[in-house]
Amino acid sequence: MICLGILGKKALVDSQLNAVLMFQIHGHHMSVYVSKFIPGTKIAAMVQIMEMQFPRSVQEVDGFATQDNLDTLVHLYDVFWSNCPCENSCNSPTLSTGFDLATINNIRQSTADRSRPNVLRY
């Protein structure tokens, strides 16, 4: 965690970015952090914005596509585009991925909630 914070601050200073999005992955667990300078100071703050557990086997894949996980990914998308572009660039992505936030929200809202445990065995 300390190395991640040091690398994040170095990226902020060297690249003159507004914010840095950082990932920490341990096995099947991922944590996402955002690091920004506190306005008016040279102190960088690192905040954890997301935690996600990935499926360990094919049997757990259907339980991964839950409403909560899709909400979390939409939140990560929103955090990235509202914080991470450079000050001298525009605030919208330059390359179109074919998905915008409205499309992702429509997909998320039409997805059935699969947060219940799966009793089927493959």
Side-chain angles (χ1 to χ4, degrees), residues 20-68:
V20 177
L21 191 67
M22 299 171 288
F23 297 88
Q24 182 178 32
I25 300 172
H26 290 288
H28 297 280
H29 183 80
M30 178 179 74
S31 299
V32 181
Y33 302 90
V34 171
S35 184
K36 292 179 82 167
F37 281 117
I38 297 173
T41 68
K42 296 200 182 250
I43 299 171
M46 186 170 93
V47 178
Q48 182 177 359
I49 60 168
M50 184 182 106
E51 281 187 332
M52 186 172 281
Q53 189 75 24
F54 289 101
R56 297 178 184 184
S57 68
V58 175
Q59 293 175 342
E60 296 179 4
V61 170
D62 60 341
F64 178 70
T66 63
Q67 191 74 34
D68 289 338

Side-chain angles (χ1 to χ4, degrees), residues 4-115:
L4 193 63
I6 292 169
L7 289 172
K9 183 172 182 183
K10 182 169 174 44
L12 284 170
V13 171
D14 293 349
S15 302
Q16 298 176 354
L17 298 170
N18 290 334
V20 177
L21 191 67
M22 299 171 288
F23 297 88
Q24 182 178 32
I25 300 172
H26 290 288
H28 297 280
H29 183 80
M30 178 179 74
S31 299
V32 181
Y33 302 90
V34 171
S35 184
K36 292 179 82 167
F37 281 117
I38 297 173
T41 68
K42 296 200 182 250
I43 299 171
M46 186 170 93
V47 178
Q48 182 177 359
I49 60 168
M50 184 182 106
E51 281 187 332
M52 186 172 281
Q53 189 75 24
F54 289 101
R56 297 178 184 184
S57 68
V58 175
Q59 293 175 342
E60 296 179 4
V61 170
D62 60 341
F64 178 70
T66 63
Q67 191 74 34
D68 289 338
N69 284 348
L70 292 173
D71 287 342
T72 302
L73 292 173
V74 167
H75 177 67
L76 177 63
Y77 177 89
D78 187 40
V79 166
F80 177 79
W81 287 115
S82 64
N83 289 305
C84 291
C86 298
E87 290 179 4
N88 55 4
S89 67
C90 63
N91 287 331
S92 62
T94 56
L95 296 175
S96 174
T97 61
F99 288 106
D100 58 353
L101 192 56
T103 304
I104 294 172
N105 275 326
N106 288 336
I107 292 170
R108 178 183 57 84
Q109 291 171 353
S110 66
T111 302
D113 185 9
R114 295 188 178 119
S115 59

